[in-house]
Amino acid sequence: MSNPIPTSPRGEPTREALVRAAIDVFGRDGFDAASTRAISDAAGVNQALIGYHFGGKPGLYLAALRFIATSVSTRLGPLVESIEARLAADGRARGKKVAAHSLAALQALLEAFVGMLASDESAAWARLILREQQSPSAGFDVLYDGFMHRILGAVSELVARAQDRGATAAECKLTAFTIIGQAVVFRAARAAVMREMQWRQLGAGELDGIRAQLRRNIAAIVQAEP
Amino acid sequence: MSNPIPTSPRGEPTREALVRAAIDVFGRDGFDAASTRAISDAAGVNQALIGYHFGGKPGLYLAALRFIATSVSTRLGPLVESIEARLAADGRARGKKVAAHSLAALQALLEAFVGMLASDESAAWARLILREQQSPSAGFDVLYDGFMHRILGAVSELVARAQDRGATAAECKLTAFTIIGQAVVFRAARAAVMREMQWRQLGAGELDGIRAQLRRNIAAIVQAEP
DNA sequence: GTCTATAGTCGGATAGAC
DNA sequence: GTCTATCCGACTATAGAC
């Protein structure tokens, strides 16, 4: 059916331009409504090249999701890796000291996360991800296995150590989602945020306020008495 | 251009069937990809009736958003009204007593909110709302003015009174969004939640766990020391 | 590897019978 | 108010020249 992607270096710029345009157009219009013409026009290449390079529209869609997973991993990967290394080094050790640096790491990770969600470049692929969450296609696996599972695991584990009360793994995962939700809302409900806050843009100043709020909330949640 | 909606009672069942089907199909496919044929088929009526009753596809879309705003208002309106009445009765009074019942009201409102977001019936229109948030059309006003602004105002005001430390209105609004985000994530990132929690459904048991988590987090956030 | 041209399908809107 | 029939434009995919 859909042939493998040709790998000749000569076509690489074309493939990358198509993928970048695809993320934008698929994110804005959804898979069905997005037209291959709109994508090829935005990429500045011929429409027939989508069939040649990706086998067709679905192949280009999957390539776009893979590109997103790689982008997120590139952006958050180093921080997540350093956290995972620290988690492994601490092993089963617990106590005030572990709790303190786990909280700090949790705050740092979510500040990086919300910074990513706030950026303009993330707008297009965030739209695609939110679509996949609402109606998962076969491509959802690319996103979940590509970065979601790993980040969720790190956040849950940090919550467990920062709280240091015998919360179950399921409870920590639930806490992780409520913490992540506090960042996600600034992308998922962006239009309402901008209108209600009467912001004209979400720039550095606004992001600082959001980050301070997140730091405070995270500390309050993990330090609260059970 | 698009004539006003005919108001004859004879056509009312047709209009309602079309609006209900429209919420489902528009939510699933987006405005462009949704076909009027799919909507009329799902509604069990003739495709040409969309033109007759709503002037066309855009008219039906706006009618669907209006229906959603009314549905949410019906579901959360009474609770919000009782909260607004209490806020008005308290006036400028502050202190421990006001803080305590404001916290309780905040928790109750968010439990109702997340219950709505968890319900299957809300899935379709939640999809539509998330789409509008990501790429607001002219119809976003219908949603914002219809219920968002009012609920956000109630949550912000409850946060201000439950904290009872001189936080600015902007800070309270930001806190309100982070609190609402903790509920919204269970709709916006539903696919990731189900997979990571290894849930097969989000039923009464799972919802109880989410609500307990929200209660705890909200109390921790508003009671934390500045 | 990239292009033009086109075949085949499906979309929204509407005219007109009942 | 509801239906059938149809126009016309836009879409994806692909054949074939360069």
Side-chain angles (χ1 to χ4, degrees), chain A residues 183-218:
Chain A
V184 167
V185 71
F186 291 99
R187 171 56 67 192
R190 174 72 63 99
V193 169
M194 300 305 285
R195 196 170 290 204
E196 189 71 15
M197 300 299 299
Q198 294 179 300
W199 285 345
R200 287 176 45 251
Q201 55 162 357
L202 204 166
E206 292 79 10
L207 184 55
D208 282 345
I210 292 172
R211 283 179 163 152
Q213 181 76 49
L214 283 181
R215 270 198 304 277
R216 214 180 307 142
N217 289 4
I218 293 169

PDB file of all heavy atoms in Angstrom, chain A residues 183-218:
ATOM      1  N   ALA A 183      -0.832  23.159  34.132  1.00  0.00           N
ATOM      2  CA  ALA A 183      -0.049  23.737  33.038  1.00  0.00           C
ATOM      3  C   ALA A 183      -0.813  23.627  31.722  1.00  0.00           C
ATOM      4  O   ALA A 183      -0.869  24.576  30.934  1.00  0.00           O
ATOM      5  CB  ALA A 183       1.304  23.028  32.919  1.00  0.00           C
ATOM      6  N   VAL A 184      -1.434  22.465  31.516  1.00  0.00           N
ATOM      7  CA  VAL A 184      -2.118  22.200  30.249  1.00  0.00           C
ATOM      8  C   VAL A 184      -3.247  23.206  29.996  1.00  0.00           C
ATOM      9  O   VAL A 184      -3.509  23.582  28.856  1.00  0.00           O
ATOM     10  CB  VAL A 184      -2.668  20.763  30.226  1.00  0.00           C
ATOM     11  CG1 VAL A 184      -3.641  20.561  29.077  1.00  0.00           C
ATOM     12  CG2 VAL A 184      -1.519  19.757  30.124  1.00  0.00           C
ATOM     13  N   VAL A 185      -3.889  23.642  31.075  1.00  0.00           N
ATOM     14  CA  VAL A 185      -5.027  24.546  30.906  1.00  0.00           C
ATOM     15  C   VAL A 185      -4.638  25.819  30.167  1.00  0.00           C
ATOM     16  O   VAL A 185      -5.449  26.383  29.431  1.00  0.00           O
ATOM     17  CB  VAL A 185      -5.654  24.893  32.283  1.00  0.00           C
ATOM     18  CG1 VAL A 185      -4.762  25.804  33.082  1.00  0.00           C
ATOM     19  CG2 VAL A 185      -7.031  25.510  32.111  1.00  0.00           C
ATOM     20  N   PHE A 186      -3.387  26.222  30.286  1.00  0.00           N
ATOM     21  CA  PHE A 186      -2.975  27.454  29.619  1.00  0.00           C
ATOM     22  C   PHE A 186      -2.763  27.259  28.115  1.00  0.00           C
ATOM     23  O   PHE A 186      -2.572  28.222  27.379  1.00  0.00           O
ATOM     24  CB  PHE A 186      -1.717  28.023  30.283  1.00  0.00           C
ATOM     25  CG  PHE A 186      -2.000  28.542  31.662  1.00  0.00           C
ATOM     26  CD1 PHE A 186      -1.710  27.780  32.793  1.00  0.00           C
ATOM     27  CD2 PHE A 186      -2.620  29.773  31.830  1.00  0.00           C
ATOM     28  CE1 PHE A 186      -2.002  28.249  34.064  1.00  0.00           C
ATOM     29  CE2 PHE A 186      -2.922  30.244  33.095  1.00  0.00           C
ATOM     30  CZ  PHE A 186      -2.615  29.484  34.228  1.00  0.00           C
ATOM     31  N   ARG A 187      -2.832  26.029  27.679  1.00  0.00           N
ATOM     32  CA  ARG A 187      -2.863  25.762  26.245  1.00  0.00           C
ATOM     33  C   ARG A 187      -4.265  25.335  25.827  1.00  0.00           C
ATOM     34  O   ARG A 187      -4.813  25.828  24.860  1.00  0.00           O
ATOM     35  CB  ARG A 187      -1.850  24.675  25.866  1.00  0.00           C
ATOM     36  CG  ARG A 187      -1.962  24.182  24.445  1.00  0.00           C
ATOM     37  CD  ARG A 187      -1.864  25.269  23.403  1.00  0.00           C
ATOM     38  NE  ARG A 187      -0.554  25.886  23.323  1.00  0.00           N
ATOM     39  CZ  ARG A 187      -0.320  27.004  22.653  1.00  0.00           C
ATOM     40  NH1 ARG A 187      -1.311  27.627  22.019  1.00  0.00           N
ATOM     41  NH2 ARG A 187       0.883  27.522  22.620  1.00  0.00           N
ATOM     42  N   ALA A 188      -4.858  24.416  26.591  1.00  0.00           N
ATOM     43  CA  ALA A 188      -6.154  23.857  26.197  1.00  0.00           C
ATOM     44  C   ALA A 188      -7.262  24.898  26.265  1.00  0.00           C
ATOM     45  O   ALA A 188      -8.196  24.866  25.470  1.00  0.00           O
ATOM     46  CB  ALA A 188      -6.495  22.648  27.071  1.00  0.00           C
ATOM     47  N   ALA A 189      -7.169  25.813  27.225  1.00  0.00           N
ATOM     48  CA  ALA A 189      -8.202  26.841  27.374  1.00  0.00           C
ATOM     49  C   ALA A 189      -7.617  28.221  27.112  1.00  0.00           C
ATOM     50  O   ALA A 189      -8.023  29.206  27.720  1.00  0.00           O
ATOM     51  CB  ALA A 189      -8.835  26.765  28.764  1.00  0.00           C
ATOM     52  N   ARG A 190      -6.673  28.266  26.189  1.00  0.00           N
ATOM     53  CA  ARG A 190      -5.956  29.512  25.942  1.00  0.00           C
ATOM     54  C   ARG A 190      -6.879  30.691  25.629  1.00  0.00           C
ATOM     55  O   ARG A 190      -6.706  31.797  26.144  1.00  0.00           O
ATOM     56  CB  ARG A 190      -4.963  29.326  24.785  1.00  0.00           C
ATOM     57  CG  ARG A 190      -4.243  30.587  24.325  1.00  0.00           C
ATOM     58  CD  ARG A 190      -3.204  31.051  25.318  1.00  0.00           C
ATOM     59  NE  ARG A 190      -2.131  30.104  25.502  1.00  0.00           N
ATOM     60  CZ  ARG A 190      -0.937  30.179  24.903  1.00  0.00           C
ATOM     61  NH1 ARG A 190      -0.685  31.172  24.085  1.00  0.00           N
ATOM     62  NH2 ARG A 190      -0.001  29.281  25.148  1.00  0.00           N
ATOM     63  N   ALA A 191      -7.862  30.474  24.799  1.00  0.00           N
ATOM     64  CA  ALA A 191      -8.737  31.579  24.391  1.00  0.00           C
ATOM     65  C   ALA A 191      -9.456  32.165  25.601  1.00  0.00           C
ATOM     66  O   ALA A 191      -9.560  33.385  25.750  1.00  0.00           O
ATOM     67  CB  ALA A 191      -9.739  31.106  23.348  1.00  0.00           C
ATOM     68  N   ALA A 192      -9.934  31.290  26.492  1.00  0.00           N
ATOM     69  CA  ALA A 192     -10.628  31.774  27.682  1.00  0.00           C
ATOM     70  C   ALA A 192      -9.656  32.479  28.620  1.00  0.00           C
ATOM     71  O   ALA A 192      -9.996  33.503  29.235  1.00  0.00           O
ATOM     72  CB  ALA A 192     -11.312  30.608  28.407  1.00  0.00           C
ATOM     73  N   VAL A 193      -8.449  31.959  28.743  1.00  0.00           N
ATOM     74  CA  VAL A 193      -7.440  32.588  29.604  1.00  0.00           C
ATOM     75  C   VAL A 193      -7.153  34.003  29.123  1.00  0.00           C
ATOM     76  O   VAL A 193      -7.180  34.964  29.898  1.00  0.00           O
ATOM     77  CB  VAL A 193      -6.135  31.761  29.614  1.00  0.00           C
ATOM     78  CG1 VAL A 193      -5.003  32.541  30.268  1.00  0.00           C
ATOM     79  CG2 VAL A 193      -6.346  30.431  30.337  1.00  0.00           C
ATOM     80  N   MET A 194      -6.883  34.155  27.831  1.00  0.00           N
ATOM     81  CA  MET A 194      -6.532  35.463  27.282  1.00  0.00           C
ATOM     82  C   MET A 194      -7.662  36.463  27.503  1.00  0.00           C
ATOM     83  O   MET A 194      -7.432  37.613  27.866  1.00  0.00           O
ATOM     84  CB  MET A 194      -6.228  35.355  25.781  1.00  0.00           C
ATOM     85  CG  MET A 194      -5.082  34.419  25.441  1.00  0.00           C
ATOM     86  SD  MET A 194      -3.550  34.812  26.285  1.00  0.00           S
ATOM     87  CE  MET A 194      -3.004  36.248  25.367  1.00  0.00           C
ATOM     88  N   ARG A 195      -8.885  36.000  27.304  1.00  0.00           N
ATOM     89  CA  ARG A 195     -10.008  36.917  27.441  1.00  0.00           C
ATOM     90  C   ARG A 195     -10.265  37.274  28.901  1.00  0.00           C
ATOM     91  O   ARG A 195     -10.453  38.443  29.243  1.00  0.00           O
ATOM     92  CB  ARG A 195     -11.265  36.302  26.808  1.00  0.00           C
ATOM     93  CG  ARG A 195     -12.344  37.335  26.563  1.00  0.00           C
ATOM     94  CD  ARG A 195     -13.470  36.798  25.729  1.00  0.00           C
ATOM     95  NE  ARG A 195     -13.092  36.550  24.338  1.00  0.00           N
ATOM     96  CZ  ARG A 195     -13.962  36.517  23.334  1.00  0.00           C
ATOM     97  NH1 ARG A 195     -15.257  36.713  23.582  1.00  0.00           N
ATOM     98  NH2 ARG A 195     -13.569  36.274  22.112  1.00  0.00           N
ATOM     99  N   GLU A 196     -10.246  36.269  29.759  1.00  0.00           N
ATOM    100  CA  GLU A 196     -10.564  36.523  31.162  1.00  0.00           C
ATOM    101  C   GLU A 196      -9.457  37.327  31.860  1.00  0.00           C
ATOM    102  O   GLU A 196      -9.733  38.179  32.707  1.00  0.00           O
ATOM    103  CB  GLU A 196     -10.789  35.191  31.904  1.00  0.00           C
ATOM    104  CG  GLU A 196     -11.327  35.338  33.313  1.00  0.00           C
ATOM    105  CD  GLU A 196     -12.775  35.794  33.354  1.00  0.00           C
ATOM    106  OE1 GLU A 196     -13.451  35.733  32.321  1.00  0.00           O
ATOM    107  OE2 GLU A 196     -13.221  36.235  34.444  1.00  0.00           O
ATOM    108  N   MET A 197      -8.213  37.028  31.506  1.00  0.00           N
ATOM    109  CA  MET A 197      -7.095  37.758  32.115  1.00  0.00           C
ATOM    110  C   MET A 197      -6.903  39.121  31.446  1.00  0.00           C
ATOM    111  O   MET A 197      -6.085  39.920  31.903  1.00  0.00           O
ATOM    112  CB  MET A 197      -5.794  36.957  31.988  1.00  0.00           C
ATOM    113  CG  MET A 197      -5.791  35.591  32.650  1.00  0.00           C
ATOM    114  SD  MET A 197      -6.050  35.620  34.438  1.00  0.00           S
ATOM    115  CE  MET A 197      -4.653  36.581  35.017  1.00  0.00           C
ATOM    116  N   GLN A 198      -7.610  39.342  30.350  1.00  0.00           N
ATOM    117  CA  GLN A 198      -7.442  40.546  29.539  1.00  0.00           C
ATOM    118  C   GLN A 198      -5.998  40.724  29.097  1.00  0.00           C
ATOM    119  O   GLN A 198      -5.446  41.827  29.156  1.00  0.00           O
ATOM    120  CB  GLN A 198      -7.952  41.777  30.302  1.00  0.00           C
ATOM    121  CG  GLN A 198      -9.453  41.717  30.511  1.00  0.00           C
ATOM    122  CD  GLN A 198      -9.986  42.911  31.285  1.00  0.00           C
ATOM    123  OE1 GLN A 198      -9.584  43.148  32.427  1.00  0.00           O
ATOM    124  NE2 GLN A 198     -10.867  43.660  30.672  1.00  0.00           N
ATOM    125  N   TRP A 199      -5.406  39.603  28.684  1.00  0.00           N
ATOM    126  CA  TRP A 199      -4.034  39.637  28.161  1.00  0.00           C
ATOM    127  C   TRP A 199      -4.099  39.845  26.658  1.00  0.00           C
ATOM    128  O   TRP A 199      -4.961  39.297  25.980  1.00  0.00           O
ATOM    129  CB  TRP A 199      -3.313  38.314  28.449  1.00  0.00           C
ATOM    130  CG  TRP A 199      -2.895  38.153  29.878  1.00  0.00           C
ATOM    131  CD1 TRP A 199      -2.832  39.123  30.838  1.00  0.00           C
ATOM    132  CD2 TRP A 199      -2.464  36.938  30.518  1.00  0.00           C
ATOM    133  NE1 TRP A 199      -2.395  38.586  32.029  1.00  0.00           N
ATOM    134  CE2 TRP A 199      -2.149  37.250  31.873  1.00  0.00           C
ATOM    135  CE3 TRP A 199      -2.289  35.615  30.091  1.00  0.00           C
ATOM    136  CZ2 TRP A 199      -1.696  36.295  32.786  1.00  0.00           C
ATOM    137  CZ3 TRP A 199      -1.836  34.672  30.992  1.00  0.00           C
ATOM    138  CH2 TRP A 199      -1.546  35.020  32.326  1.00  0.00           C
ATOM    139  N   ARG A 200      -3.143  40.618  26.140  1.00  0.00           N
ATOM    140  CA  ARG A 200      -3.052  40.762  24.681  1.00  0.00           C
ATOM    141  C   ARG A 200      -2.092  39.736  24.113  1.00  0.00           C
ATOM    142  O   ARG A 200      -2.140  39.366  22.940  1.00  0.00           O
ATOM    143  CB  ARG A 200      -2.623  42.180  24.312  1.00  0.00           C
ATOM    144  CG  ARG A 200      -3.768  43.191  24.546  1.00  0.00           C
ATOM    145  CD  ARG A 200      -3.356  44.636  24.290  1.00  0.00           C
ATOM    146  NE  ARG A 200      -2.598  44.789  23.054  1.00  0.00           N
ATOM    147  CZ  ARG A 200      -1.282  45.058  23.008  1.00  0.00           C
ATOM    148  NH1 ARG A 200      -0.602  45.181  24.131  1.00  0.00           N
ATOM    149  NH2 ARG A 200      -0.672  45.199  21.863  1.00  0.00           N
ATOM    150  N   GLN A 201      -1.190  39.267  24.956  1.00  0.00           N
ATOM    151  CA  GLN A 201      -0.278  38.208  24.537  1.00  0.00           C
ATOM    152  C   GLN A 201       0.105  37.388  25.763  1.00  0.00           C
ATOM    153  O   GLN A 201      -0.112  37.826  26.886  1.00  0.00           O
ATOM    154  CB  GLN A 201       0.988  38.815  23.922  1.00  0.00           C
ATOM    155  CG  GLN A 201       1.651  39.806  24.878  1.00  0.00           C
ATOM    156  CD  GLN A 201       3.092  40.107  24.513  1.00  0.00           C
ATOM    157  OE1 GLN A 201       3.619  39.539  23.578  1.00  0.00           O
ATOM    158  NE2 GLN A 201       3.731  40.969  25.275  1.00  0.00           N
ATOM    159  N   LEU A 202       0.631  36.200  25.523  1.00  0.00           N
ATOM    160  CA  LEU A 202       1.168  35.429  26.631  1.00  0.00           C
ATOM    161  C   LEU A 202       2.688  35.447  26.476  1.00  0.00           C
ATOM    162  O   LEU A 202       3.272  34.568  25.854  1.00  0.00           O
ATOM    163  CB  LEU A 202       0.602  34.001  26.623  1.00  0.00           C
ATOM    164  CG  LEU A 202       0.603  33.255  27.966  1.00  0.00           C
ATOM    165  CD1 LEU A 202      -0.283  32.025  27.905  1.00  0.00           C
ATOM    166  CD2 LEU A 202       2.020  32.859  28.379  1.00  0.00           C
ATOM    167  N   GLY A 203       3.295  36.497  27.010  1.00  0.00           N
ATOM    168  CA  GLY A 203       4.733  36.691  26.859  1.00  0.00           C
ATOM    169  C   GLY A 203       5.491  36.336  28.121  1.00  0.00           C
ATOM    170  O   GLY A 203       4.987  35.616  28.990  1.00  0.00           O
ATOM    171  N   ALA A 204       6.697  36.870  28.219  1.00  0.00           N
ATOM    172  CA  ALA A 204       7.576  36.526  29.340  1.00  0.00           C
ATOM    173  C   ALA A 204       6.967  36.939  30.688  1.00  0.00           C
ATOM    174  O   ALA A 204       7.011  36.187  31.660  1.00  0.00           O
ATOM    175  CB  ALA A 204       8.935  37.190  29.154  1.00  0.00           C
ATOM    176  N   GLY A 205       6.378  38.123  30.732  1.00  0.00           N
ATOM    177  CA  GLY A 205       5.805  38.597  31.991  1.00  0.00           C
ATOM    178  C   GLY A 205       4.661  37.722  32.454  1.00  0.00           C
ATOM    179  O   GLY A 205       4.603  37.314  33.622  1.00  0.00           O
ATOM    180  N   GLU A 206       3.758  37.424  31.549  1.00  0.00           N
ATOM    181  CA  GLU A 206       2.613  36.575  31.899  1.00  0.00           C
ATOM    182  C   GLU A 206       3.097  35.184  32.307  1.00  0.00           C
ATOM    183  O   GLU A 206       2.590  34.583  33.254  1.00  0.00           O
ATOM    184  CB  GLU A 206       1.654  36.471  30.715  1.00  0.00           C
ATOM    185  CG  GLU A 206       0.919  37.769  30.365  1.00  0.00           C
ATOM    186  CD  GLU A 206       1.780  38.741  29.582  1.00  0.00           C
ATOM    187  OE1 GLU A 206       2.878  38.348  29.136  1.00  0.00           O
ATOM    188  OE2 GLU A 206       1.360  39.911  29.437  1.00  0.00           O
ATOM    189  N   LEU A 207       4.098  34.680  31.590  1.00  0.00           N
ATOM    190  CA  LEU A 207       4.622  33.345  31.890  1.00  0.00           C
ATOM    191  C   LEU A 207       5.244  33.304  33.286  1.00  0.00           C
ATOM    192  O   LEU A 207       5.089  32.313  34.017  1.00  0.00           O
ATOM    193  CB  LEU A 207       5.651  32.946  30.820  1.00  0.00           C
ATOM    194  CG  LEU A 207       6.235  31.537  30.916  1.00  0.00           C
ATOM    195  CD1 LEU A 207       5.123  30.498  30.940  1.00  0.00           C
ATOM    196  CD2 LEU A 207       7.185  31.269  29.758  1.00  0.00           C
ATOM    197  N   ASP A 208       5.916  34.381  33.671  1.00  0.00           N
ATOM    198  CA  ASP A 208       6.484  34.443  35.027  1.00  0.00           C
ATOM    199  C   ASP A 208       5.386  34.295  36.077  1.00  0.00           C
ATOM    200  O   ASP A 208       5.548  33.578  37.064  1.00  0.00           O
ATOM    201  CB  ASP A 208       7.221  35.772  35.236  1.00  0.00           C
ATOM    202  CG  ASP A 208       8.596  35.766  34.578  1.00  0.00           C
ATOM    203  OD1 ASP A 208       9.064  34.671  34.220  1.00  0.00           O
ATOM    204  OD2 ASP A 208       9.194  36.847  34.438  1.00  0.00           O
ATOM    205  N   GLY A 209       4.287  35.001  35.860  1.00  0.00           N
ATOM    206  CA  GLY A 209       3.168  34.905  36.806  1.00  0.00           C
ATOM    207  C   GLY A 209       2.620  33.489  36.891  1.00  0.00           C
ATOM    208  O   GLY A 209       2.342  32.985  37.981  1.00  0.00           O
ATOM    209  N   ILE A 210       2.473  32.860  35.747  1.00  0.00           N
ATOM    210  CA  ILE A 210       1.973  31.483  35.715  1.00  0.00           C
ATOM    211  C   ILE A 210       2.930  30.546  36.448  1.00  0.00           C
ATOM    212  O   ILE A 210       2.511  29.696  37.243  1.00  0.00           O
ATOM    213  CB  ILE A 210       1.784  31.023  34.245  1.00  0.00           C
ATOM    214  CG1 ILE A 210       0.645  31.795  33.583  1.00  0.00           C
ATOM    215  CG2 ILE A 210       1.521  29.523  34.191  1.00  0.00           C
ATOM    216  CD1 ILE A 210       0.519  31.547  32.080  1.00  0.00           C
ATOM    217  N   ARG A 211       4.217  30.719  36.198  1.00  0.00           N
ATOM    218  CA  ARG A 211       5.213  29.850  36.835  1.00  0.00           C
ATOM    219  C   ARG A 211       5.212  30.023  38.341  1.00  0.00           C
ATOM    220  O   ARG A 211       5.302  29.036  39.090  1.00  0.00           O
ATOM    221  CB  ARG A 211       6.601  30.146  36.267  1.00  0.00           C
ATOM    222  CG  ARG A 211       6.793  29.542  34.900  1.00  0.00           C
ATOM    223  CD  ARG A 211       8.169  29.874  34.354  1.00  0.00           C
ATOM    224  NE  ARG A 211       8.501  28.991  33.243  1.00  0.00           N
ATOM    225  CZ  ARG A 211       9.314  29.327  32.242  1.00  0.00           C
ATOM    226  NH1 ARG A 211       9.855  30.523  32.212  1.00  0.00           N
ATOM    227  NH2 ARG A 211       9.574  28.456  31.283  1.00  0.00           N
ATOM    228  N   ALA A 212       5.115  31.248  38.815  1.00  0.00           N
ATOM    229  CA  ALA A 212       5.082  31.480  40.258  1.00  0.00           C
ATOM    230  C   ALA A 212       3.861  30.791  40.864  1.00  0.00           C
ATOM    231  O   ALA A 212       3.934  30.158  41.926  1.00  0.00           O
ATOM    232  CB  ALA A 212       5.050  32.979  40.547  1.00  0.00           C
ATOM    233  N   GLN A 213       2.740  30.904  40.148  1.00  0.00           N
ATOM    234  CA  GLN A 213       1.508  30.268  40.614  1.00  0.00           C
ATOM    235  C   GLN A 213       1.685  28.743  40.680  1.00  0.00           C
ATOM    236  O   GLN A 213       1.292  28.093  41.651  1.00  0.00           O
ATOM    237  CB  GLN A 213       0.367  30.630  39.672  1.00  0.00           C
ATOM    238  CG  GLN A 213      -0.975  30.052  40.047  1.00  0.00           C
ATOM    239  CD  GLN A 213      -1.589  30.793  41.214  1.00  0.00           C
ATOM    240  OE1 GLN A 213      -1.652  32.013  41.216  1.00  0.00           O
ATOM    241  NE2 GLN A 213      -2.030  30.065  42.233  1.00  0.00           N
ATOM    242  N   LEU A 214       2.292  28.185  39.649  1.00  0.00           N
ATOM    243  CA  LEU A 214       2.505  26.734  39.615  1.00  0.00           C
ATOM    244  C   LEU A 214       3.426  26.290  40.747  1.00  0.00           C
ATOM    245  O   LEU A 214       3.140  25.297  41.437  1.00  0.00           O
ATOM    246  CB  LEU A 214       3.100  26.310  38.268  1.00  0.00           C
ATOM    247  CG  LEU A 214       2.146  26.244  37.080  1.00  0.00           C
ATOM    248  CD1 LEU A 214       2.876  25.777  35.832  1.00  0.00           C
ATOM    249  CD2 LEU A 214       0.990  25.300  37.396  1.00  0.00           C
ATOM    250  N   ARG A 215       4.534  27.002  40.947  1.00  0.00           N
ATOM    251  CA  ARG A 215       5.461  26.666  42.044  1.00  0.00           C
ATOM    252  C   ARG A 215       4.719  26.616  43.366  1.00  0.00           C
ATOM    253  O   ARG A 215       4.839  25.665  44.139  1.00  0.00           O
ATOM    254  CB  ARG A 215       6.570  27.716  42.142  1.00  0.00           C
ATOM    255  CG  ARG A 215       7.795  27.432  41.322  1.00  0.00           C
ATOM    256  CD  ARG A 215       8.992  28.259  41.817  1.00  0.00           C
ATOM    257  NE  ARG A 215       8.738  29.695  41.841  1.00  0.00           N
ATOM    258  CZ  ARG A 215       8.851  30.497  40.797  1.00  0.00           C
ATOM    259  NH1 ARG A 215       9.213  29.995  39.637  1.00  0.00           N
ATOM    260  NH2 ARG A 215       8.612  31.790  40.904  1.00  0.00           N
ATOM    261  N   ARG A 216       3.936  27.653  43.629  1.00  0.00           N
ATOM    262  CA  ARG A 216       3.205  27.751  44.888  1.00  0.00           C
ATOM    263  C   ARG A 216       2.212  26.587  45.024  1.00  0.00           C
ATOM    264  O   ARG A 216       2.171  25.914  46.059  1.00  0.00           O
ATOM    265  CB  ARG A 216       2.454  29.089  44.928  1.00  0.00           C
ATOM    266  CG  ARG A 216       2.328  29.716  46.299  1.00  0.00           C
ATOM    267  CD  ARG A 216       1.567  31.029  46.201  1.00  0.00           C
ATOM    268  NE  ARG A 216       2.137  31.934  45.214  1.00  0.00           N
ATOM    269  CZ  ARG A 216       1.435  32.724  44.405  1.00  0.00           C
ATOM    270  NH1 ARG A 216       0.103  32.704  44.448  1.00  0.00           N
ATOM    271  NH2 ARG A 216       2.035  33.506  43.550  1.00  0.00           N
ATOM    272  N   ASN A 217       1.449  26.348  43.971  1.00  0.00           N
ATOM    273  CA  ASN A 217       0.432  25.289  44.036  1.00  0.00           C
ATOM    274  C   ASN A 217       1.057  23.915  44.246  1.00  0.00           C
ATOM    275  O   ASN A 217       0.564  23.115  45.044  1.00  0.00           O
ATOM    276  CB  ASN A 217      -0.389  25.268  42.754  1.00  0.00           C
ATOM    277  CG  ASN A 217      -1.318  26.461  42.634  1.00  0.00           C
ATOM    278  OD1 ASN A 217      -1.304  27.362  43.481  1.00  0.00           O
ATOM    279  ND2 ASN A 217      -2.120  26.493  41.587  1.00  0.00           N
ATOM    280  N   ILE A 218       2.129  23.646  43.525  1.00  0.00           N
ATOM    281  CA  ILE A 218       2.763  22.331  43.624  1.00  0.00           C
ATOM    282  C   ILE A 218       3.285  22.110  45.042  1.00  0.00           C
ATOM    283  O   ILE A 218       3.074  21.047  45.639  1.00  0.00           O
ATOM    284  CB  ILE A 218       3.906  22.199  42.594  1.00  0.00           C
ATOM    285  CG1 ILE A 218       3.328  22.190  41.176  1.00  0.00           C
ATOM    286  CG2 ILE A 218       4.717  20.928  42.840  1.00  0.00           C
ATOM    287  CD1 ILE A 218       4.376  22.323  40.082  1.00  0.00           C
TER     288      ILE A 218
END
